[in-house]
Amino acid sequence: MSNGLALRDRLATSCVRAVNRLSRLTGRGSGTVAGGRVGLRLAPGLLGSLARGRTIILVSGTNGKTTTTSMAVAGWGGVVTTNATGANMPAGHVAALAAGSSERGVLEVDEAWLPIVMNATRPRVVALLNLSRDQLDRASEVRQMAERWRTALQADASDGPVIVANANDPLVVYAAEVAVNVVWCDVPTTWLADAVSCPKCTKALTHAVGSWHCRCGFAKPKAITTTLHEQLVIDGRRVNLDLAVPGEFNRSNAAMALTALARIGVDLAGAVTRISEVASVAGRFSVRHWNRHTVQLLLAKNPAGFAAMLSTVPADRSDVWVAINARIADGRDPSWLYDVPFEELRGHRVLCFGDRRLDLATRLDYADVDFLVVDDEEVVPVSDRPVLLLANYTAFSDWLARSSA
Amino acid sequence: MIRVAVLFPELLGTYGDGGNGLVVSDRARRRGIQASLEHVGLGDELPEADLYLLGGGEDGPQRLAADLLRASSLASRVNDGGAHVVAVCAGLQILGSSFSVEGDDEYEGLGLVDVATRRGERRSVGELAVRVGADLLVGFENHGGLTTLASGVSPLGNVVKGRGNDGALDGYRTSNIWATYAHGPVLAMNPWFADLVLGAVVGEELEPLATVADRLYRERCSVLGR
Ligand SMILES: [Zn+2]
C-alpha cells in the first residue's frame, strides 16, 4: 500500500516496520505500538495516509471490541489487516496498517480515540457495540463518552461511514441517532445499569421486554435492520448462528460483525460459517494448562463484562477461579467489584487470585459466596474437570503467560 | 431491627457505592441484629429508614438526585426523626448547602450541613487515606469538587494521602451524618467505620466481628504507608 504515499509518510512507514522488527527481536515488546509511536512522531498524518484507499471497518464499545473485530476479520475471509493484539489506539493502528498490505482493514478502537480515528481513517463502517462503566479512575465518565461520540457522528457528512449501532443500549443510541447512515441492531444486551436515566434529559428511562423509552420522547429506534433471537435476521435474511465461543454476548458480537460485513457486500452465508469457527480470540475462551490444572480462560474487565461471563458458568461446576488486579491498565480502583452480581456464584466455591484477591474475597463474603483466598498456589486443589478462570485485564495476561496450550 | 435504604443507586452508584448498604446490613445480621436493605428507585417514595446511604454520581444524575431529595422528606427525617446518613462523593456534596458541577452554575443542595462545594482546578483521582481519631480510613477518590466547611462544622478527619475536601480535611460529620470523599465500598474496606456507623444506628456497643475484611483493611493500611 505504500505507493501513493508521500515521501515523508513512506519514510515514516519504513521506520514503523523497522522499530517493530527491532522490538520483536529484542523481546522488548510484541512490536505493535512502539513502531507506531515513532511513525506518528515523524509523520502526524500517517494514520490517514496509510488508511487511504482501503476499505476499513472500525469497532468500538466498552465490551466485546476485540472479539467482534476478530469475528469481522474471520467473517470477511482472505487476508485482512487488523490490530489483532488489541493495541487499539492510533499507534497500534499505524503499526497494523504499516505491517499489513491488504486493502481490507478491521480495526478495534478505544472508545476515547474513536472520534480521532474515524476522522483519520475515513472508514466505510463503524460498529458501536455498547457503553458502560469501565476504569472510571482513568477514562472520563460514561455519559461524557457518549457525548463525544455524538459530537463526532454529528459532524459526519452524507458520504460518511455507515454506523452499525446497538439499538438496545440507550447510550449508543444517543450517540448514533445524529448520524446520517445508521443501521440499528436489536441484539441481546443485558447490562443496562448505566442507562437508567435518560442521556437526553436525565429522567428515568422505562425499560420493558424488548423496548425502552423516556417521557421526553427519546426511545429505542423503530427502524431495525438486524434482530437476534433464536435466529439471526439481517435485512430480512434468516440464518442460524451456532458459535464455537460461549455466551449470549458473543452471539450479539457476531450479529454486529455480520451486519457490518453485510454493509460492504460480504456474502452472509459464507461469513456466518467462517465466524462460527472462531474458537478463541487472543487467548479468550482458550483452554490452557497450568501446573496440574486445566483452565479455561475468560476475560472480564468491568461489571458488564463480568455479568456476561458469570451467566456462562455452569451450575454443576463446583470451583470457579477469579483473578483480580488493579494495575494501571485495569484501573487502580477495584470499587466496581460491588457492581458485579457475584451473588450468582452462590453454591460454587470461588478461589481468589491476583493482586487484589482480598478485595475480591471481601466482596464474595458479603455476597454470601463460599471463597478461598489463594496465598499459596502450590496447594490449589486439583479438579478432575477444566476449571473456569475469570480474570480482569492484566490478571488475564498474567494467566495467559504463565499457562501453556 | 434496623432498616437500611440505599438512595437512588441508578443515579448515585457510579463506583460500587451500593456495596455500603450490603456491608452494614450484613454486619448487623451476623451479630444477630435483624436488618432490612432496600434500594430506593427513581419513582419510589422515600421509605422510613434508620440509615440512608448516598453514593457518587455523574453531574447530570447528581443534579437530578438533588432535586428528588429536596422534594423528599429526607431532611426532616434526618433533622427531626434521628435517621442516620452515610454520604460519599456526590452524596457528600448534595447534603451541603450548594454545589457546582458543570461549569460555574451553582446548584442548591439539601442544606443539611453548612458546606459548599465548587469545582476545583483539577480532578482528584487516587488513593485516599484519612486520619479519623485513632483510626485510619482508607479508600479511593475520584471527583472534581473543592469542599469548604463553614466554621463549626466538623470534618470527618485529616487527609493523610490524597485530597478529600481540600487537601487537608476530608468530609464532615454531625451527630447522625458521616460524609467522605472515599467513594465506593468505603464501609467494606474499613470494617471499623462500618461498625462505628452500625453501632450508632442500633445505639449500643457492638461485639467485635472477625471477617476477611480485616485482612483487606490491614493490607490497604500497609500499602498506604500507615
Ligand atoms: Zn429523556
Side-chain angles (χ1 to χ4, degrees):
Chain A
M1 293 297 302
S2 41
N3 41 342
L5 287 183
L7 178 64
R8 183 192 182 86
D9 290 338
R10 268 210 306 272
L11 283 172
T13 304
S14 46
C15 285
V16 173
R17 295 194 187 120
V19 172
N20 279 347
R21 220 167 20 240
L22 195 68
S23 108
R24 271 193 299 268
L25 283 175
T26 56
R28 240 179 278 153
S30 53
T32 44
V33 178
R37 273 199 207 114
V38 170
L40 281 172
R41 207 166 303 141
L42 293 173
L46 188 57
L47 179 54
S49 314
L50 287 169
R52 202 167 304 136
R54 308 201 204 213
T55 303
I56 287 184
I57 298 176
L58 301 182
V59 178
S60 195
T62 310
N63 286 308
K65 293 187 281 292
T66 304
T67 304
T68 306
T69 298
S70 187
M71 285 173 165
V73 168
W76 208 338
V79 180
V80 181
T81 295
T82 185
N83 50 337
T85 56
N88 60 14
M89 299 186 210
H93 302 140
V94 163
L97 294 175
S101 58
S102 169
E103 64 185 28
R104 307 155 157 198
V106 184
L107 300 176
E108 167 190 337
V109 187
D110 179 86
E111 301 88 282
W113 286 95
L114 182 65
I116 285 169
V117 175
M118 252 179 74
N119 195 32
T121 60
R122 313 308 308 162
R124 285 278 297 282
V125 182
V126 179
L128 303 178
L129 308 177
N130 49 63
L131 274 177
S132 71
R133 60 189 80 179
D134 181 43
Q135 303 176 21
L136 288 171
D137 67 308
R138 270 197 328 143
S140 59
E141 291 159 336
V142 59
R143 277 158 195 277
Q144 288 173 17
M145 196 70 81
E147 199 67 57
R148 271 199 253 169
W149 281 12
R150 186 176 166 98
T151 306
L153 294 172
Q154 204 142 31
D156 167 29
S158 57
D159 63 346
V162 174
I163 309 300
V164 171
N166 181 351
N168 284 318
D169 187 322
L171 288 168
V172 168
V173 174
Y174 176 69
E177 65 168 2
V178 294
V180 176
N181 295 309
V182 192
V183 169
W184 296 112
C185 300
D186 186 348
V187 294
T189 306
T190 49
W191 184 264
L192 294 167
D194 295 298
V196 173
S197 90
C198 175
K200 278 199 171 150
C201 71
T202 71
K203 289 202 181 64
L205 284 179
T206 306
H207 291 269
V209 179
S211 83
W212 54 266
H213 72 274
C214 174
R215 273 179 290 165
C216 75
F218 184 57
K220 177 171 168 178
K222 291 201 172 58
I224 298 286
T225 299
T226 296
T227 57
L228 176 61
H229 299 291
E230 282 291 289
Q231 281 186 309
L232 170 66
V233 184
I234 299 179
D235 294 320
R237 295 185 54 201
R238 302 177 162 274
V239 286
N240 288 316
L241 201 53
D242 189 11
L243 302 179
V245 288
E248 184 88 324
F249 52 95
N250 275 330
R251 286 167 53 81
S252 293
N253 292 338
M256 303 278 289
L258 286 163
T259 306
L261 293 172
R263 278 299 173 279
I264 49 170
V266 177
D267 170 60
L268 188 59
V272 168
T273 307
R274 290 186 290 269
I275 282 182
S276 304
E277 287 159 6
V278 173
S280 142
V281 177
R284 295 147 209 224
F285 318 110
S286 63
V287 176
R288 312 274 296 176
H289 297 278
W290 173 72
N291 288 355
R292 291 150 297 150
H293 307 272
T294 309
V295 186
Q296 184 172 26
L297 301 184
L298 304 176
L299 173 70
K301 292 185 277 192
N302 47 43
F306 258 95
M309 289 301 166
L310 289 175
S311 68
T312 69
V313 175
D316 64 348
R317 212 65 67 87
S318 69
D319 279 3
V320 176
W321 297 6
V322 180
I324 301 293
N325 288 348
R327 299 178 195 163
I328 287 169
D330 304 304
R332 302 303 298 260
D333 176 18
S335 294
W336 57 271
L337 289 172
Y338 287 81
D339 291 322
V340 176
F342 279 115
E343 285 77 4
E344 288 176 24
L345 290 178
R346 282 179 196 158
H348 300 274
R349 181 177 65 168
V350 177
L351 274 62
C352 306
F353 293 88
D355 302 344
R356 300 305 288 265
R357 58 189 178 278
L358 287 173
D359 296 76
L360 172 65
T362 300
R363 168 69 186 105
L364 294 168
D365 189 28
Y366 287 123
D368 202 13
V369 174
D370 195 12
F371 65 89
L372 181 69
V373 180
V374 180
D375 295 314
D376 179 2
E377 293 184 338
E378 294 303 309
V379 297
V380 174
V382 177
S383 168
D384 51 355
R385 282 187 298 176
V387 287
L388 292 180
L389 169 65
L390 286 71
N392 71 338
Y393 194 71
T394 65
F396 182 89
S397 307
D398 285 355
W399 275 90
L400 197 56
R402 73 202 310 219
S403 60
S404 55
Chain B
M1 168 79 181
I2 61 160
R3 297 157 300 177
V4 179
V6 177
L7 296 180
F8 311 129
E10 299 100 331
L11 300 175
L12 300 176
T14 312
Y15 304 105
D17 309 281
N20 288 328
L22 182 68
V23 170
V24 176
S25 53
D26 195 65
R27 293 182 77 84
R29 283 188 209 115
R30 289 186 195 204
R31 292 181 165 99
I33 303 164
Q34 279 194 10
S36 68
L37 174 61
E38 190 172 344
H39 290 92
V40 183
L42 285 176
D44 300 345
E45 189 85 2
L46 190 77
E48 224 176 283
D50 305 296
L51 175 63
Y52 295 97
L53 298 164
L54 291 159
E58 296 173 43
D59 295 354
Q62 175 176 353
R63 276 181 317 205
L64 175 61
D67 289 344
L68 292 169
L69 289 173
R70 268 202 315 276
S72 80
S73 56
L74 183 67
S76 66
R77 286 179 197 279
V78 174
N79 284 332
D80 313 324
H84 295 76
V85 184
V86 171
V88 305
C89 205
L92 169 157
Q93 300 175 358
I94 288 172
L95 297 188
S97 38
S98 68
F99 60 88
S100 313
V101 283
E102 283 153 2
D104 296 318
D105 288 350
E106 200 173 280
Y107 223 72
E108 196 189 334
L110 259 69
L112 276 170
V113 185
D114 195 358
V115 161
T117 301
R118 61 194 162 82
R119 189 168 273 273
E121 298 271 298
R122 55 185 172 80
R123 275 191 91 75
S124 279
V125 184
E127 310 265 18
L128 175 65
V130 180
R131 170 75 51 201
V132 183
D135 294 298
L136 193 68
L137 180 125
V138 290
F140 200 94
E141 64 181 331
N142 183 350
H143 65 99
L146 192 63
T147 297
T148 313
L149 311 181
S151 64
V153 177
S154 307
L156 181 67
N158 296 308
V159 171
V160 175
K161 185 181 171 68
R163 188 171 78 181
N165 295 351
D166 57 3
L169 304 174
D170 178 55
Y172 49 82
R173 83 143 303 178
T174 72
S175 59
N176 51 352
I177 301 175
W178 297 266
T180 175
Y181 270 113
H183 72 207
V186 60
L187 299 183
M189 216 174 253
N190 298 275
W192 66 267
F193 189 40
D195 287 350
L196 177 80
V197 171
L198 180 58
V201 171
V202 300
E204 59 188 63
E205 192 96 354
L206 298 172
E207 291 295 310
L209 179 73
T211 60
V212 68
D214 301 335
R215 264 193 77 191
L216 171 63
Y217 177 65
R218 284 196 300 274
E219 182 199 77
R220 296 325 297 158
C221 283
S222 71
V223 168
L224 291 170
R226 185 173 194 171

